[in-house]
Amino acid sequence: MIRPVHWLLLAVIVFGAGAMRFADLGGRPAGLFRDEAEKGYNGWALATTGGAIEFDPSLKTQIRWHPLPWMIDVVGVQTSATYQYASIPFMWAGGLTVATARMAAAAAGTLAVLVIGLLLMHAWGPGAGLAAALWTALCPWHLVFSRWALQGAFTPLFMALVLAGLYGVEQRRRWGWPLAWAAMGWLFYTYSGAQPLVLAWGFFLLIIYRRELLRGGWPLAVGIALFLIPVIPTIVVTLRPGGSARWSNVSIFNQPGATFLSASLVFIKNYLAHFNPVALFFHGDPNPRHCIPGAGQLAPIDLVLLPIGLVWTIRAKKPLAWALLAAWLCGPLPAAPTLGGMPHALRALGMALPSAVWGGAGLWLATRYVRERNARMHLDKLLWAAAIAVGLSLFALYWKTYANDPRAQVAFEKGERDAWVRIARDYKPGQRVLVSIQIPYAQYFQLFFFRMDPRKAADRGLGADFYYFDIALDKKNQFMNQMRPGDWMVTPVVPWRALSPSGEPLLPREESEIISENWVMAWQKPYTP
């Protein structure tokens, strides 16, 4: 039975989850990744003008203003506009800042904790439900993707809503099928990386809930219609020329010399890499945007708690047990057929929610077991305190790392953020700004930090004093030689050649190559780095 104290504890957990996700969003992570620049600016553009800005595929200076877009063309890749629309309330309230650009992700992460807590308090009982909500709030995998602007931030929230709908189906509630299907459809639309998860998980859910499907009736028909509303236009866009450009670039099956057999072996290897205990609990994804450097995707204590929770849900035949297992096993499928370091925590984000839920259930079972055998010694309270301390220590590691660690600063393009902040602050009319097009999304950074009016930018361009040039073709330093006193130059530099304030290389060459992001420098004539 759920009592008032349980509701109070859930409110405390959700408040804590929100505090961990909203605190100092403008400074941690310290930079502003290029995807964030686009999403933040277009969220502000939608809030102020009802449209988004798109560049031509070559990312030159041809700009178009797209009213109320369903998909946004970002450098020739079609992406959903869910994140940008979700940013509108924050842009209305706080204007365009780095912090407001990330607030939609923080809100989605906090809501996921609330939904999973409400759901599992009813499905598994208040103790297990609160533990699952607490562990989701503290989960480093979930935390990292709740604090920067990307579409994948909505994956745990939509998965939690799918599970809520499935629980309604199990309880024979009419709203079950509509909620489950609608959330699955919006997950398919929102993040292209989750589309293989939706298809695979959906297939297994049809098998798991085959009996419920037979008696679905009109709620099932409504649910299917709600699923198709976002899915059909998304598929239409994907099938157009260029609609699957990103997939073509990253697929292991499209690489020169790849055969079906060789690519399939790589697929299996990539898939299994996501279940490697060392990667899950100790070192994680090597990309600092995807995992806290020096930590795993999950807390080390989950090495024990996760299996306990998983086995308990299956053996006790708990509601949603098989749906959670199917989600966990399907989670790596979007990552397995792609290039890049494995495990890839973003594309495999579907694993995060089941992992956190099972870890919380395992923690609750462990403390209950200790309490039943050592009630007078209060060892269960010590276990709770130790587990929470582990979770908070990982948050403290996040707090320190994403402000000061050079790996995180390079991964989140702090150099580019600093360059454009400096130019926007010190720029005077008449000075020219020469920008290398080798810097990805540089135009979105200009729009973001100069807060350029979207419609004026579409009508008049980026400004007569801003020049974007190809530094690789400028072998004679034509642009550099033509610089006048006061002109600005914005150029990329590999991090192992950039210098920290102490005069040392920003990163060792090996780590620089793993992160594979350039540092960016802005300097003015006469040279003042």
Side-chain angles (χ1 to χ4, degrees), residues 17-18 20-22 25 28-29 36 39-40 82-91 98-113 141-157 190 349 398 412:
M20 294 171 66
R21 283 154 178 79
F22 279 92
L25 280 177
R28 292 171 170 86
E36 298 184 283
K39 287 174 176 55
T82 299
Y83 192 97
Q84 291 85 337
Y85 282 113
S87 296
I88 289 176
F90 305 106
M91 296 301 173
V98 174
T100 56
R102 293 169 171 165
M103 284 183 179
T110 305
L111 286 173
V113 174
W141 199 345
H142 189 249
L143 174 71
V144 166
F145 290 111
S146 298
R147 288 186 56 91
W148 64 283
L150 74 166
Q151 296 126 313
F154 286 86
T155 299
L157 173 59
T190 297
L349 189 54
Y398 177 97
F412 278 96

Side-chain angles (χ1 to χ4, degrees), residues 380-390:
D380 59 319
K381 296 181 176 62
L382 292 176
L383 181 56
W384 275 110
I388 293 172
V390 169

